[in-house]
Amino acid sequence: MKILKWVFFVLGQCLLLGFVHGQTPRFYLQADRTNIAEGETFVLEAVLENIDSKTIEIPDLAPFKVVQGPSTSTSISIVNGKKSGFISYQYILLATQKGKFTIPSATTKVGTKVIKSNVLPITVTSGAAAVSSAKID
């Protein structure tokens, strides 16, 4: 009888873990905008969704200058037995020269597996060209 209880306990735990960890993992880079004027700052964000890793490696960000960061935020939610969560690392970068640039993939490690993010293209134009076209009256 003890063995049967133990078997049901183990099976129940396996099912519970399957429901809790059933969300799709994602790791990506994003920016508040990808067209920037030279001398302006923008926000680069590295996001880990449903990945159990607390550290990331940010690539060389040259020719951009890190003005601030990383700032982190974390969110975890459980809805109907499904756990989801994200960790976000934000950097404020200064565009120091004109041109088309690509921010390389960031990496994170989960156990022994290395996961790479997307690359992020950024275009830096002369000061007046990238200014928003919104009118202020």
Side-chain angles (χ1 to χ4, degrees):
M1 192 67 162
K2 280 187 173 182
I3 293 175
L4 189 57
K5 284 183 181 179
W6 184 79
V7 168
F8 281 119
F9 175 76
V10 170
L11 287 174
Q13 293 300 313
C14 289
L15 286 173
L16 179 63
L17 287 174
F19 287 124
V20 170
H21 296 289
Q23 301 296 327
T24 304
R26 290 180 44 196
F27 179 35
Y28 56 93
L29 294 178
Q30 63 184 13
D32 62 338
R33 60 195 191 282
T34 56
N35 292 313
I36 297 125
E38 185 178 13
E40 285 186 337
T41 59
F42 66 101
V43 178
L44 172 68
E45 184 174 27
V47 180
L48 296 162
E49 285 185 9
N50 304 310
I51 295 177
D52 190 21
S53 178
K54 303 246 188 268
T55 60
I56 60 170
E57 285 191 36
I58 294 293
D60 180 17
L61 297 172
F64 306 108
K65 180 181 176 187
V66 177
V67 177
Q68 180 181 332
S71 299
T72 60
S73 66
T74 304
S75 172
I76 297 173
S77 64
I78 300 173
V79 178
N80 294 329
K82 292 188 179 187
K83 179 183 172 186
S84 64
F86 75 88
I87 300 172
S88 168
Y89 297 85
Q90 293 183 341
Y91 298 82
I92 297 177
L93 303 179
L94 174 67
T96 59
Q97 65 184 38
K98 294 185 290 185
K100 291 187 179 195
F101 306 100
T102 299
I103 296 176
S105 297
T107 58
T108 189
K109 215 173 189 187
V110 179
T112 59
K113 186 177 180 182
V114 175
I115 300 172
K116 289 184 171 188
S117 72
N118 59 306
V119 297
L120 189 62
I122 301 288
T123 302
V124 180
T125 58
S126 60
V131 174
S132 175
S133 63
K135 285 187 175 181
I136 299 174
D137 292 323

